[in-house]
Amino acid sequence: MQKIKTDSTEIEIGRIENLIILSILPIIFLISAFLLDTPANILKGLYSIIISSDVLLVDYLEVGGIGATFVNAALLALINIFIIYKLKLKLNGALIAAIFTITGFSFFGKNIFNVWPIYIGGYLYAKYQKIEFKSVLVVIMFSTSLAPIINEIAFGLNTNILFSLPIAILFGIFIGFVITPLSSHMLRTHDGYNLYNIGLTAGILGMLITSLLRSFGFVIEPQQVLSTKYDLFLKIFFFILFLLLIILGYFINNKSFKGYKKILKFSGRLVTDFTQLKGYGITYINMGIMGIVSLAYAISLGGVLNGPIVGALLTVVGFGAFGKHLRNALPIMLGVALGAFIKIWDIDSTAVILAGLFGTTLAPIAGEFGPIIGLIAGFLHLSVVMNVGVVHGGINLYNNGFAGGFVAAILVPIIDAFKKGD
């Protein structure tokens, strides 16, 4: 057992207890799946999910149904939690963010087939460099952003599966092998102000892969497959889950919200790990609050909850352990909403809502330079994210991280230039 040293009176919780807490959500998904659907439909839906195109935006709720989607999310989350357990890693903010991001993207883009070649590549990279796999695990978990390319090659080449499947797996292994050194270099581009650093890395690597495939006549077509069937259910379901997360954190923090206000003082710039800075109880409280506020944001814009929006909600919640809080995230969301109001896009569209939620990758800019700059960052982010997807053909699921990297790389030096000129 290990006690977090904070200025709160947090109850002692150890590594195993935290992993059990992290397993609650996927277990709820698993139980709910079999309450909402039959085993036969779930198996059929999982097969449809596995063989479908996964480029942006393909909603697994529409492709395979809610039961299969919940099972897909539960399995991916639980397997990754088991990997963390076997590697004897202490749960920190980065791992929590990675688990919630993988779980969220299990609603669109990542499935129980297409992520594992990337893990194999990461494992081989660790062996080649003679380092422990656990030292690169977080990067590999996030690098499944490029998992759609595996589906596209395996099932989209219109060739014999015996030829296309090995090629797809080799592409995945290659991605997993090179993503770690690439990501460390990309971090310098935005200086830690883009929380989805792998999104920028994966976007550039995806651009290279897509260009290569296009040069051989294989064009990846963008998708727009979105569900409208489960809107009300998902809103109630996730509101309850996020509320339970706050309650859980409240009890772990010895029935107190003490320490929450201090989280709001951090800029969120990489690396800001709330579990280490303020303890697990306050972190879980912050995660739940971020979930409820993000859900309210989606509803207030008139959004219909579907797989991609659920993915965005869970990602924001995960990063509530690793850099995001109300003070630095809300200006970005409002900047995106303001941009949608006066620009050409419908404010209630899934793409705009995703830009507002995922756009909080730029939260450290608002945290460091204030809410007005945060509004400007969100305003700019919407324009960039709506136009950069074409270069990678939608195979980079973290398109907002890709766009956010460019916004941060341009905006932060300009801000610094004005500061130095004062």
Side-chain angles (χ1 to χ4, degrees), residues 41 70-71 117 139 175 204 206 223 282 302 332 373 393-394 397 402 412:
N41 280 340
F70 273 17
V71 168
V139 173
I175 290 166
I204 292 174
Q223 304 288 324
I282 290 299
I332 306 296
I373 300 298
L397 295 172
F402 185 42
V412 172

Side-chain angles (χ1 to χ4, degrees), residues 23-212:
S23 300
I24 293 173
L25 178 62
I27 290 171
I28 290 173
F29 280 156
L30 206 56
I31 294 170
S32 300
F34 288 95
L35 291 175
L36 294 167
D37 212 341
T38 65
N41 280 340
I42 289 172
L43 286 173
K44 183 180 177 182
L46 280 172
Y47 176 75
S48 297
I49 285 171
I50 288 170
I51 66 169
S52 73
S53 172
D54 293 321
V55 299
L56 297 171
L57 291 163
V58 175
D59 185 346
Y60 287 163
L61 290 169
E62 183 67 22
V63 172
I66 193 167
T69 303
F70 273 17
V71 168
N72 183 62
L75 290 177
L76 277 179
L78 289 172
I79 293 170
N80 277 280
I81 291 169
F82 180 72
I83 292 171
I84 293 170
Y85 166 75
K86 290 297 290 183
L87 293 177
K88 298 181 180 179
L89 284 163
K90 179 187 175 184
L91 194 66
N92 57 27
L95 284 169
I96 291 173
I99 287 291
F100 271 82
T101 300
I102 285 175
T103 306
F105 279 88
S106 299
F107 282 75
F108 73 116
K110 300 182 185 182
N111 61 59
I112 53 174
F113 160 71
N114 65 13
V115 301
W116 305 120
I118 296 174
Y119 280 71
I120 294 170
Y123 179 79
L124 293 176
Y125 172 79
K127 286 293 184 183
Y128 180 77
Q129 293 292 340
K130 296 181 181 179
I131 58 177
E132 292 186 281
F133 179 56
K134 64 182 179 182
S135 67
V136 300
L137 179 63
V138 170
V139 173
I140 297 305
M141 290 170 72
F142 280 120
S143 68
T144 51
S145 167
L146 287 170
I149 191 61
I150 297 167
N151 270 62
E152 291 304 305
I153 295 173
F155 306 116
L157 286 177
N158 296 319
T159 59
N160 192 311
I161 191 71
L162 296 177
F163 168 77
S164 61
L165 184 58
I167 297 298
I169 292 172
L170 286 173
F171 261 87
I173 292 172
F174 169 76
I175 290 166
F177 193 91
V178 303
I179 199 78
T180 298
L182 283 174
S183 65
S184 63
H185 283 278
M186 294 302 167
L187 184 60
R188 303 169 193 168
T189 305
H190 54 79
D191 202 21
Y193 288 99
N194 175 30
L195 290 175
Y196 307 159
N197 180 51
I198 296 295
L200 176 60
T201 310
I204 292 174
L205 184 56
M207 179 175 61
L208 176 64
I209 293 172
T210 301
S211 300
L212 181 64

Side-chain angles (χ1 to χ4, degrees), residues 297-346:
Y297 177 81
I299 293 171
S300 68
L301 296 189
V304 174
L305 254 65
N306 48 40
I309 291 178
V310 167
L313 292 173
L314 290 176
T315 300
V316 172
V317 169
F319 275 87
F322 198 61
K324 295 184 185 180
H325 50 68
L326 287 183
R327 190 177 68 84
N328 65 9
L330 273 178
I332 306 296
M333 293 182 183
L334 295 175
V336 170
L338 175 63
F341 184 74
I342 64 176
K343 295 177 184 178
I344 63 174
W345 300 287
D346 294 330

Side-chain angles (χ1 to χ4, degrees), residues 9-13 244-257 281-282 284-285:
T9 55
E10 180 170 278
I11 296 171
E12 291 186 9
I13 49 174
L244 288 175
L245 196 54
I246 296 173
I247 294 170
L248 176 66
Y250 174 78
F251 278 98
I252 291 174
N253 201 46
N254 204 20
K255 299 181 181 179
S256 169
F257 289 100
I282 290 299
Y284 293 139
I285 289 171

